Amino acid sequence: MSSKKNNTLPLWGSQATMNMNAMVLTNIQASQYFKSELFQLKTYHEVVDEIYYKVNHLEPWERGSRRTAGQIGMCGGVRGVGAGGVASSAFCLLFKLFTLKMTRKQLNGLINHNDSPYIRALGFMYIRFSQPPPDLWEWFEPYLSDPELPGVKP
């Protein structure tokens, strides 16, 4: 990983959007949860606590909130494509972590957290969205055989 001895994380790609899909980002920034509740959280530890209590899936949209009526072809019924919906707490919190400009130590704290697989998963999602592609393998490789999984539901 570049700047291993440095606690500052490099950011890859857009410094403003975290490389998120434009529709997902727009819905995050427009959500009352992000604008009201998450705006009040100022520290890494407050956000980690919020992840523990609020995240129960890792999809970009809250379940049942996507508007798919009238969509046809490749966009009809495809997760993450189309008209969007209510941004999930997971993606709102992921973007909130990005606004905090986390350190390497904090990111390692997320991916090694013992309290919730969702805290760890958001750490790995943060890496995927914000870290330089050449560094991804070094972040992910030690965890490839990790037996703990977030609750995956069909």
Side-chain angles (χ1 to χ4, degrees), residues 138-150:
E138 290 182 53
W139 279 107
F140 291 140
E141 193 269 334
Y143 301 91
L144 292 178
S145 297
D146 190 337
E148 185 175 29
L149 295 173

Side-chain angles (χ1 to χ4, degrees), residues 42-61:
K42 303 297 183 198
T43 70
Y44 163 82
H45 294 290
E46 289 174 323
V47 175
V48 171
D49 286 347
E50 186 77 359
I51 295 167
Y52 181 82
Y53 290 109
K54 298 287 184 170
V55 176
N56 59 17
H57 68 88
L58 299 170
E59 296 175 20
W61 311 115

Side-chain angles (χ1 to χ4, degrees), residues 20-36:
M20 281 196 186
N21 171 283
M23 183 180 303
V24 174
L25 182 60
T26 298
N27 286 11
I28 288 169
Q29 293 170 328
S31 84
Q32 282 303 108
Y33 177 60
F34 185 78
K35 292 191 300 186
S36 299

Side-chain angles (χ1 to χ4, degrees), residues 123-144:
F124 287 113
M125 289 171 64
Y126 186 93
I127 292 166
R128 172 61 186 89
F129 277 96
S130 70
Q131 294 303 284
D135 295 352
L136 295 180
W137 180 251
E138 290 182 53
W139 279 107
F140 291 140
E141 193 269 334
Y143 301 91
L144 292 178

